Amino acid sequence: MPVQLERRIRLPPDARSAGRARRMVQGALEELDPDREADLADTTILLASELCENAVLHAGTEFEVTVTITEDEVTVAVADRGAGPLELHLAQPRQRYGRAATHGRGLTLVQRLSTAWGTRHDNDGRHAVWFSMARRPRVDRAVPLEPVADTDRVFAAAEQARWLLHVPPGLADRLEPLELVGELSRRLRELLGADLVSVEVDEADGTGPAELVRDGDERPGRAGAPASPAMEVRLPMTAPLRGTLRVLASDIGDERTRDLVELTANRVAMAVEARWLRAVDQRRRAWMTYLAETSELLGQSLDVELAVAVVPQVVVPRLGRWCAVHLVDPTHQLRLAALTHADEDQLPELRAVLDPAASPGLPRELAQRLAGLVRDGSAPVRFAAPTDGIALALRARGTTIGTLIVGRPPDRPHTPEDIMMAGDVARRAALSIHNAQSTAAHVDVSQALQQALLPRALPVVPGVEFAAEYLSASSGSDVGGDFYDVLTVDPTHWHVAIGDVCGKGARAAARTGLVRDVLRVLVRDGRALPRAVELLNDVMMEAEDPLQFCTLAAAMVSRSRPGTAGLDVELLLAGHVQPVLVRADGTASLVGRFGTAVGLVPRMRLECTTHHLDRGDVFLAYTDGVTERRRGREQFGPDRLLEVAAKAAGRSAKQVVAAVREAVERFSAEPLDDDVALLAIRAAR
């Protein structure tokens, strides 16, 4: 492709060289075709500036800028004689401050905005970076091809304003706000011939003012004084942002200079605010995601220990380097419930300081602040020992249940945004822990109620063995309806009952207690077993709750007549599964005749059967959780129960119960889906 125009300039490694290269590129583009799109010219000048500044910053040698224009594209190459390829320079770690804080940005811009780019390393030691920009179809007209010497561009007043304000929309949309601020700063420095243009902004995040852009450098004069006076213009931004545009130039007192600086400050302020608002929006989105994930994690368990353990894990390292949770115990003292640190090696030392039960215990200042939080539930407080941090009250439903302590991040104090997020986490954590504590208390009450429905101890009688086990399908707050009971009526008679009340929970527990206690009273009054069950049915029917019926196996066990070994069993089944009679000779059979469940209909059909236990025989009663135990579609069933019981023949009552329980548990690996009650009576002599 024929070359229409070519320009070349050699420049020293000086901060002002980039400006001369920009003017040379701009002049070449305008000379060839001033009607071309401004986007092409501005993008080309911007990328050339970045490459020149990289050469000044990282090569430290003179460099050469070449502009080559053809019909289809504009190519700019920057060659230097640095110690190594430019890519290696950019990859080396450097102190990040001022302009150098964004080093390496040039190649990123080149890659993003140019049509093509690359590097070239010549044998003579030169290292060049080049890029090309595609041009629009040309307009037919005469084009001068002769080279033009490098001269400084002289701007008219209107051109100066336009040059400062007008960045083509196509280019502005592709530039990050900070890159746009850098371009505006370079343009201002070129127009004013300034030594330095810098932008400093304080975002009120606790880190203080930060220099976002620095174009040029300060040239100290004699006795260390700056060679040029300084002008500082406040950036017109909304709170909490504060910033200044600083210019070092020789004609700083000129009214035209101040107008141009203020004009640039307004445009810079808009770009800085746009950058800040974008960062705020990104942080808020990140915080929303973080809080949503925190809520999900905290809501996954109603176990107190697990709920407490999750809290420090979601706090560290997002909000601080370490975190501790203290809970108020029943004596109204704080105890360390959970602790984590970003560096696990620091945990033992930190635990010794934060555990009130350890030595030396909480620092005095921290202990006083935590006591104030527990007492008043006040706003977050800061502390300085063992390290800087914040402490917040864990309050749920108007009660302070503990405190959350968060150590400061490693490189800064907690910002107001950090404290707000920590407060939100504390509220969610407090509610999660309080719910877990309430559930734990409810479970304790339910389990205590379940145990209260069972006999505290079975009778110990010479010649008679009693054994029982209860397997609950739930260790939580659901109280099962299965029960068993053994009551000593007199030295030779024992009332034995096992049953299953329909349903679970408090209603089933209340009905279970009713069945057991009413039956006990009726049997103690000397009523026959069938009559006692009929009266129990009348009591159940008065509740008018057909869903709360009960299956019951009731028996009266008595010693045989004097001179006769063994036990006699009078058995009545009210809708309950048949018990197993295990003979000492190794046979087992189901006994009893089915009757009507208790509390189901007003008039019951009941039939008593009598059975004799010889020495070594076992009477085994159980609930349907045994035979209805499932493994897929298969049930444990009565046949398997008889087989297991027969194999346990000749053993003690306790061993027979244990054998059946083990067989039921081994039958399926799935958790129990129904309660299991087992009760065995053995004639020992």
Side-chain angles (χ1 to χ4, degrees), residues 479-641:
V479 181
D482 291 15
F483 71 96
Y484 65 86
D485 191 26
V486 178
L487 173 66
T488 302
V489 180
D490 59 47
T492 60
H493 292 80
W494 298 270
H495 164 65
V496 175
I498 188 168
D500 184 1
V501 173
C502 179
K504 291 182 179 295
R507 291 177 62 196
R511 191 56 54 93
T512 301
L514 174 68
V515 170
R516 190 192 69 165
D517 293 342
V518 169
L519 192 58
R520 276 188 165 207
V521 170
L522 294 174
V523 171
R524 275 178 173 167
D525 285 347
R527 289 180 173 83
L529 204 56
R531 182 57 182 164
V533 174
E534 288 174 351
L535 293 175
L536 173 63
N537 185 67
D538 293 340
V539 174
M540 294 276 286
M541 293 302 296
E542 290 177 359
E544 296 183 351
D545 188 353
L547 298 179
Q548 286 290 300
F549 63 90
C550 172
T551 66
L552 176 67
M556 184 63 71
V557 180
S558 59
R559 291 186 186 278
S560 298
R561 294 184 302 275
T564 304
L567 300 171
D568 293 325
V569 178
E570 182 185 1
L571 175 64
L572 184 149
L573 299 180
H576 202 77
V577 291
Q578 291 177 295
V580 178
L581 184 57
V582 186
R583 297 296 183 182
D585 61 4
T587 61
S589 60
L590 299 175
V591 295
R593 292 187 177 91
F594 290 109
T596 308
V598 181
L600 196 58
V601 293
R603 189 175 296 276
M604 301 182 69
R605 181 179 61 82
L606 300 172
E607 185 176 352
C608 279
T609 58
T610 302
H611 311 276
H612 180 74
L613 302 183
D614 290 324
R615 183 176 181 180
D617 293 347
V618 175
F619 175 83
L620 175 65
Y622 56 94
T623 58
D624 59 5
V626 174
T627 54
E628 294 180 2
R629 174 71 166 152
R630 287 188 173 274
R631 181 174 59 195
R633 295 185 176 182
E634 184 182 7
Q635 286 189 339
F636 189 81
D639 293 339
R640 190 175 276 105
L641 173 61

Side-chain angles (χ1 to χ4, degrees), residues 405-482:
I405 308 176
V406 184
R408 63 173 288 175
D411 56 348
R412 59 179 176 80
H414 283 108
T415 65
E417 190 176 47
D418 291 334
I419 297 176
M420 180 183 67
M421 289 297 111
D424 205 328
V425 171
R427 286 190 292 273
R428 296 166 192 251
L431 186 59
S432 174
I433 295 172
H434 185 273
N435 289 340
Q437 290 176 334
S438 300
T439 301
H442 187 39
V443 168
D444 291 342
V445 171
S446 299
Q447 295 303 311
L449 178 58
Q450 183 80 75
Q451 294 301 316
L453 297 176
L454 303 175
R456 294 184 179 180
L458 298 176
V460 179
V461 180
V464 182
E465 293 180 8
F466 294 96
E469 283 206 32
Y470 186 91
L471 303 178
S472 177
S474 173
S475 59
S477 59
D478 288 337
V479 181
D482 291 15

Side-chain angles (χ1 to χ4, degrees), residues 232-360:
E232 291 188 357
V233 176
R234 181 175 177 273
L235 298 179
M237 299 183 294
T238 57
L241 294 178
R242 297 177 63 183
T244 56
L245 175 64
R246 184 167 178 261
V247 179
L248 295 182
S250 57
D251 56 348
I252 207 69
D254 183 47
E255 184 176 350
R256 162 186 163 277
T257 299
R258 174 166 291 277
D259 290 342
L260 292 177
V261 172
E262 291 180 350
L263 192 65
T264 306
N266 280 274
R267 184 64 187 273
V268 167
M270 289 189 290
V272 171
E273 278 193 338
R275 171 180 176 271
W276 180 77
L277 289 173
R278 180 187 300 178
V280 168
D281 182 64
Q282 291 175 344
R283 287 198 303 271
R284 287 178 178 173
R285 291 175 183 271
W287 283 124
M288 290 175 65
T289 302
Y290 168 68
L291 291 176
E293 293 173 349
T294 297
S295 297
E296 183 178 357
L297 289 172
L298 292 174
Q300 287 182 350
S301 175
L302 288 176
D303 181 88
V304 177
E305 297 299 325
L306 289 178
V308 174
V310 167
V311 178
Q313 302 301 323
V314 300
V315 171
V316 176
R318 192 67 178 264
L319 294 173
R321 189 164 173 77
W322 57 268
C323 176
V325 177
H326 290 81
L327 297 181
V328 179
D329 63 18
T331 64
H332 303 289
Q333 300 296 319
L334 287 176
R335 66 174 181 86
L336 182 62
L339 173 67
T340 192
H341 196 291
D343 183 0
E344 293 185 358
D345 294 337
Q346 302 292 327
L347 276 176
E349 181 179 354
L350 186 62
R351 184 179 298 276
V353 176
L354 295 180
D355 190 350
S359 179

